[in-house]
Amino acid sequence: MLPAVLLVLFGTALVFAVTQIGWLITLIFVVAVLLMAYQRLPLLAFTVTFTTLLVGYTWFGAAAGVWKGLLWLMLLALWLFNVRPLRKALVSRPFLKAYLRMLPTMSTTEREALEAGTVWWDGELFTGKPDWSKLLAARPAQLAPEEQAFLDGPCQVLCAMVDDFDVTHRRADLPPEAWDYIKREGFFAMIIPKQYGGLALGRYAQSSVLTRLASRSITLASTVAVPNSLGPAELLVHYGTDEQKNRYLPRLARGEEIPCFALTSPTVGSDAASISDTGIVCRGTYEGQDVLGLKLNFSKRYITLAPIATVVGLAFRLFDPDRLLGGEVDIGITCALLPRDTPGITIGRRHFPLNIPFQNGPIQGHDVFVPLDCIIGGTAMAGKGWRMLIEQLSVGRCISLPASATGGAVTAAWTTGAYARIRRQFGLPVGRFEGVEQVIARILGTTYIMDAARTVTTGAIDGGEKPAVPAAILKYHVTEMGRQVANDAMDVHGGKGIMLGPRNYLARGYQSAPIGITVEGANILTRSLIIFGQGAIRCHPFVLKEMEAARHADRRSGVDQFDRALFGHLGFAISNAVRSAVMALTFARFESAPGSGPEKRYYQHIERFSASFAFATDVAMLSLGGYLKKKESLSARLGDVLSYLYLASMVLKRHHDNGAPPEDLPVVEWACRSLLYRAQEQLHDFLRNFPNPLLAAFMRLVIFPRGRTYFAPSDRLGAQLAELAMTPSATRERLCRDAYRNPQGGNPLGLLEEALRMSIDVEPLERRLRVEGVKTGRVTALDFPGQVEQARSLGLLTDTQAQQLIDYDQRIMHLINVDDFDPQELKAAHG
Ligand SMILES: Cc1cc2nc3c(=O)[nH]c(=O)nc-3n(C[C@H](O)[C@H](O)[C@H](O)COP(=O)(O)OP(=O)(O)OC[C@H]3O[C@@H](n4cnc5c(N)ncnc54)[C@H](O)[C@@H]3O)c2cc1C
């Protein structure tokens, strides 16, 4: 049958080819041109090949003369574009004039934000043709032996010292022995170089430490995170004078000084660059001496560690009205270090952030006078404060908050999988119901994404990158995903998640989710303004070059550079349009990509959406110009597409670095599929809301020529994930490696795992008791111990099996039970 069909098809094709040869040649011509654009041939090579093809096509091809005439005109233009002096005069120079009028003004703070950090995998995604060899060859995240020892030693000890309910409910603080241990063991010195007595941990190691601490107590993780993120130590290491480093760093490393960093004030939150606190250069008396210094007036709030800080890092705007420093009057944002007991400082009161009682409070300063050498980096760094903060944030945002959110998520994934197996309703573990299964799948898949993102990105930082845009992506998405996971885990636990007490391992994480969302750049702002706003200019292969060329002081070389960037950009945009349409039509099946099997398909789909994203970005920037900055919802959606592609790449890289274990594949598939589906939906919403309907229709034709064909993960895949979460498995272990799981001291994470392991042996016995005993009417007792006893005496269970069931039941009841309190006890805690 098949050979006959093939013969008929071949015969038809042959007859068509002979009779319709003109159309066949037309088809070949079009495909060849598209292929050249798809493969990004350089302009000259494209022009020469196009010339040859066009000659052949004109001679033999079908189609109307007008169409062929247009193609010859296009060829003429192509040859002209190859003559650079001509194209500069006819195209680039006039366009540059118009471009300069469209170019949005950029403040110094905006420029400094743009220039901070490096462009890494984010830049590849903007090309529409990411080079996977760069990502896969990047050094995997690794712990040095001493870092592993710190994680296995002091980190475990500290976790064991902290009872989170005691901290959050009774003390509203960490216990004194935990404070001492934190200081003694160098938890505040993870970023301080060894020469000053610090631990000098790598960024992946820091992230792992914070993930572990957060899995035990968010209060603990927040306390440790702050001195190791943007603040006095970090600023001193990078910008401090030698004298400042020698004076402060050893004391910070030993915990003799407690730092805080004060930027936020009542009037200035998200718009931190508009700082209203002031410093005036003037003469004054300091420790009995008349010196040149600063008179500071400030009011700060929300400052972590402020109530107990001994040294305050302060950001303020510096003015020099009498030009005592010999420069500008308005010097700009500056950072200084003030000892706590400096006269004029009011400090010590506490805020109470969502029942997560890490030390946080306001600081005020009235006419505080300090000498000039309090400026971090000395007078040379006066006015450079914003650049310092932004540069350090470009790394810092990858670490503390993503690690804390991941710590909460691994706790949720680890406990929810186990709890959903041991908690029975309607005669089944609740995790076996389809509705619950899909929620557990979301917890596991999302946690995998979060962990992959923080692991691979911190590994890249250890490899020398300072990825500013990925830092914003992680800050926003990992904390949002953490909130989603916290919600889901609470739902699966039902009332067990709601009743506060020592046995509740979820609720404080759930309560704390908005903190990570708000700090270090609140999330709505990060999504709307930073990810795409910074990414589009910083990571785009041509936009920054065009802007710099347009603003070039030397007109002649400015035009020259602009011309190169402009024509590179044009070729790039055309190629991305072609790539996007071709890959959408073919489901990207023919795109070369690493790997094999299902992983390969995800690499290919990322390529497809990367081309679509790059094309949409170009159309949006070209048609909306500076207005795109105001259309926050549009740029937020483009930022989401970029983020989902970035996160999917992190998932694939993590899987690759793990040695591609086949048992993890369902999680990897779920993660990639849900991220790519979300990328597709955000592109769709972007097109729906694009202000120019004609351009939107054109983009839709190029991006979705077959409609939205990409699907979210199936229920069947979700069920596989739920099974992985509810079974002791290598996948669970790998994902939750940084959770504090030691069963000592009644740690619920450890006890749940023990119960889960027991459940595997006990479930067949329970089934026998139910099916052969209760259902047949041989076992009639109403209570569980009675049923077990009857089954034992009937010979359905051996003595050992009966004891096993009783032990298991007791364990489970301990884990399922919640706390209750004497009313006086609750009153006392809240009195
Ligand atoms: C627990 C905690 C600890 C903190 N620790 C410190 C610390 O140690 N040191 C320190 O200096 N600060 C600290 N902060 C301050 C923190 O960085 C700020 O809260 C944060 O910058 C947001 O400022 P805001 O709260 O005033 O919100 P607002 O600036 O009032 O913003 C309100 C909302 O508007 C959104 N928004 C604002 N502008 C835009 C825009 N252009 N586009 C879209 N959305 C926008 C924001 O995303 C946010 O959702 C801490 C805050 C908290 C809650």
Side-chain angles (χ1 to χ4, degrees):
M1 183 65 185
L2 191 66
V5 172
L6 287 178
L7 206 65
V8 170
L9 281 177
F10 180 72
T12 315
L14 199 67
V15 170
F16 180 82
V18 172
T19 55
Q20 305 289 329
I21 187 84
W23 286 109
L24 195 68
I25 290 173
T26 306
L27 187 69
I28 292 171
F29 171 75
V30 171
V31 170
V33 172
L34 288 179
L35 203 67
M36 289 195 297
Y38 188 95
Q39 295 296 356
R40 299 202 171 157
L41 241 60
L43 182 60
L44 186 58
F46 186 95
T47 312
V48 170
T49 321
F50 188 77
T51 309
T52 319
L53 286 169
L54 189 56
V55 169
Y57 170 62
T58 310
W59 203 255
F60 299 109
V66 179
W67 161 244
K68 288 181 180 167
L70 282 175
L71 287 173
W72 278 97
L73 276 180
M74 192 176 135
L75 180 67
L76 183 67
L78 276 174
W79 278 111
L80 286 179
F81 291 162
N82 277 285
V83 186
R84 289 201 64 215
L86 210 58
R87 84 178 188 203
K88 270 196 266 183
L90 293 179
V91 183
S92 305
R93 201 164 283 132
F95 188 73
L96 178 57
K97 281 191 189 143
Y99 182 82
L100 273 169
R101 280 196 298 274
M102 276 166 51
L103 203 59
T105 51
M106 200 186 286
S107 64
T108 315
T109 45
E110 280 177 307
R111 184 166 315 121
E112 285 175 344
L114 269 180
E115 287 166 2
T118 57
V119 176
W120 182 56
W121 185 247
D122 41 334
E124 287 296 316
L125 292 171
F126 264 94
T127 65
K129 203 173 185 292
D131 180 353
W132 292 106
S133 64
K134 282 189 193 160
L135 181 67
L136 297 182
R139 199 185 83 128
Q142 278 165 352
L143 293 175
E146 59 190 20
E147 293 172 336
Q148 186 68 58
F150 187 72
L151 210 58
D152 296 340
C155 230
Q156 292 290 93
V157 175
L158 180 58
C159 285
M161 277 180 180
V162 174
D163 167 352
D164 198 40
F165 189 68
D166 177 53
V167 167
T168 55
H169 181 70
R170 299 193 189 103
R171 278 179 202 277
D173 196 5
L174 294 171
E177 61 275 18
W179 275 109
D180 288 346
Y181 193 76
I182 287 171
K183 293 174 190 169
R184 197 169 64 240
E185 293 298 324
F187 279 89
F188 284 167
M190 292 195 282
I191 57 168
I192 298 179
K194 286 193 173 152
Q195 68 192 98
Y196 300 104
L199 298 181
L201 298 189
R203 298 303 189 160
Y204 172 55
Q206 283 170 41
S207 168
S208 302
V209 169
L210 293 173
T211 302
R212 179 151 308 169
L213 301 185
S215 75
R216 180 67 168 163
S217 160
I218 293 289
T219 308
L220 177 61
S222 305
T223 302
V224 171
V226 166
N228 290 294
S229 51
L230 185 59
E234 174 113 71
L235 295 174
L236 284 172
V237 168
H238 290 97
Y239 310 101
T241 61
D242 285 344
E243 197 272 326
Q244 289 171 335
K245 287 182 186 172
N246 291 329
R247 179 164 167 219
Y248 280 110
L249 290 178
R251 279 158 47 192
L252 285 166
R254 289 194 297 270
E256 290 165 11
E257 298 275 10
I258 303 285
C260 70
F261 189 74
L263 172 65
T264 307
S265 63
T267 48
V268 176
S270 299
D271 186 12
S274 308
I275 227 157
S276 51
D277 306 292
T278 56
I280 307 288
V281 181
C282 59
R283 296 204 73 85
T285 308
Y286 187 76
E287 293 179 348
Q289 308 260 328
D290 178 59
V291 291
L292 190 57
L294 317 168
K295 190 164 70 182
L296 298 158
N297 280 285
F298 55 89
S299 172
K300 303 289 191 181
R301 65 176 182 179
Y302 305 159
I303 310 307
T304 302
L305 293 188
I308 54 159
T310 58
V311 54
V312 177
L314 186 80
F316 56 93
R317 192 161 201 102
L318 183 61
F319 295 92
D320 184 10
D322 300 329
R323 297 184 192 269
L324 296 172
L325 297 179
E328 300 289 315
V329 171
D330 180 355
I331 295 178
I333 295 173
T334 302
C335 298
L337 280 185
L338 319 180
R340 178 193 179 96
D341 50 13
T342 313
I345 295 184
T346 308
I347 190 167
R349 289 188 65 78
R350 286 182 71 177
H351 297 307
F352 191 32
L354 284 175
N355 278 355
I356 311 298
F358 54 88
Q359 297 284 335
N360 184 289
I363 315 177
Q364 289 92 26
H366 180 68
D367 287 349
V368 178
F369 184 79
V370 288
L372 282 179
D373 62 11
C374 283
I375 296 176
I376 298 178
T379 45
M381 295 308 282
K384 306 233 166 47
W386 190 248
R387 170 172 281 270
M388 287 154 66
L389 299 180
I390 289 295
E391 277 177 358
Q392 295 319 311
L393 264 184
S394 70
V395 169
R397 282 209 284 204
C398 292
I399 299 167
S400 307
L401 297 170
S404 299
T406 308
V410 292
T411 301
W414 185 258
T415 55
T416 307
Y419 185 79
R421 182 136 187 185
I422 63 166
R423 172 68 175 164
R424 285 174 167 272
Q425 289 295 287
F426 305 100
L428 276 180
V430 291
R432 296 265 184 255
F433 296 105
E434 229 183 69
V436 181
E437 226 171 44
Q438 295 309 317
V439 180
I440 298 175
R442 194 162 57 210
I443 293 173
L444 194 72
T446 307
T447 304
Y448 193 97
I449 298 169
M450 297 166 72
D451 183 59
R454 68 131 196 135
T455 302
V456 177
T457 310
T458 51
I461 299 173
D462 285 339
E465 295 293 341
K466 288 186 179 174
V469 175
I473 293 177
L474 260 68
K475 157 68 196 27
Y476 173 72
H477 286 276
V478 175
T479 55
E480 288 292 341
M481 287 177 178
R483 173 151 69 175
Q484 168 78 58
V485 169
N487 277 338
D488 283 343
M490 289 291 283
D491 289 353
V492 174
H493 279 75
K496 167 81 183 159
I498 292 168
M499 296 310 157
L500 285 172
R503 295 174 203 227
N504 190 327
Y505 39 83
L506 286 181
R508 293 304 192 200
Y510 166 80
Q511 271 184 305
S512 73
I515 297 177
I517 305 282
T518 304
V519 299
E520 289 189 6
N523 274 9
I524 301 178
L525 170 123
T526 302
R527 172 174 182 252
S528 313
L529 277 186
I530 299 180
I531 298 177
F532 183 75
Q534 194 171 351
I537 298 176
R538 186 79 167 95
C539 307
H540 192 290
F542 297 102
V543 167
L544 193 56
K545 286 183 193 152
E546 285 163 352
M547 288 170 79
E548 281 170 357
R551 293 197 174 109
H552 205 293
D554 176 7
R555 204 87 206 99
R556 210 188 164 91
S557 51
V559 175
D560 199 57
Q561 285 172 20
F562 186 77
D563 170 79
R564 278 178 205 283
L566 179 67
F567 275 83
H569 195 159
L570 276 175
F572 168 82
I574 292 168
S575 168
N576 277 330
V578 171
R579 288 176 60 76
S580 171
V582 170
M583 284 193 274
L585 287 168
T586 58
F587 292 114
R589 278 191 189 280
F590 306 108
E591 183 64 17
S592 72
S596 57
E599 292 103 315
K600 178 168 183 171
R601 294 295 290 131
Y602 295 112
Y603 285 108
Q604 289 173 323
H605 287 302
I606 293 176
E607 296 231 358
R608 173 204 161 178
F609 285 118
S610 159
S612 305
F613 162 73
F615 170 66
T617 295
D618 273 333
V619 176
M621 289 205 291
L622 196 69
S623 58
L624 301 179
Y627 183 54
L628 185 55
K629 202 168 146 186
K630 290 207 180 77
K631 295 294 293 171
E632 285 191 352
S633 301
L634 286 184
S635 48
R637 289 189 181 102
L638 287 176
D640 285 344
V641 179
L642 172 68
S643 305
Y644 294 139
L645 298 179
Y646 180 83
L647 294 171
S649 309
M650 297 300 102
V651 166
L652 290 171
K653 163 76 170 156
R654 177 74 186 139
H655 184 55
H656 172 269
D657 289 347
N658 272 341
E663 64 274 16
D664 286 4
L665 200 53
V667 196
V668 171
E669 287 205 51
W670 189 98
C672 288
R673 192 157 266 291
S674 69
L675 288 166
L676 290 168
Y677 174 73
R678 281 186 259 177
Q680 169 189 271
E681 295 304 293
Q682 289 299 53
L683 271 171
H684 165 64
D685 281 346
F686 164 79
L687 296 175
R688 274 190 62 211
N689 291 285
F690 198 74
N692 182 327
L694 274 179
L695 274 180
F698 170 62
M699 282 192 276
R700 190 172 286 282
L701 197 70
V702 169
I703 295 172
F704 296 125
R706 298 171 67 152
R708 280 139 66 212
T709 50
Y710 204 81
F711 298 116
S714 67
D715 292 352
R716 190 186 297 177
L717 186 59
Q720 288 180 38
L721 262 69
E723 193 54 41
L724 278 171
M726 292 193 295
T727 312
S729 63
T731 306
R732 249 173 84 85
E733 290 283 335
R734 249 190 304 277
L735 182 59
C736 303
R737 65 195 179 284
D738 285 331
Y740 176 67
R741 297 173 289 153
N742 192 339
Q744 309 291 311
N747 175 16
L749 275 73
L751 298 183
L752 274 164
E753 177 67 7
E754 285 178 354
L756 177 64
R757 287 181 187 278
M758 279 177 85
S759 74
I760 309 294
D761 299 329
V762 161
E763 278 172 5
L765 304 180
E766 284 180 327
R767 203 172 308 120
R768 193 184 309 158
L769 175 65
R770 204 172 51 249
V771 176
E772 296 178 31
V774 179
K775 282 199 174 160
T776 58
R778 293 171 70 198
V779 169
T780 52
L782 295 178
D783 65 312
F784 187 71
Q787 289 177 347
V788 172
E789 180 49 32
Q790 255 186 320
R792 193 189 60 77
S793 55
L794 286 167
L796 287 177
L797 298 169
T798 64
D799 289 352
T800 320
Q801 288 170 336
Q803 192 53 48
Q804 221 178 333
L805 274 176
I806 294 294
D807 288 351
Y808 179 66
D809 186 55
Q810 281 170 356
R811 255 171 200 266
I812 298 258
M813 287 319 293
H814 175 74
L815 286 165
I816 286 174
N817 279 337
V818 298
D819 300 286
D820 42 50
F821 301 89
D822 184 296
Q824 292 309 319
E825 193 186 343
L826 274 186
K827 219 173 185 177
H830 291 91

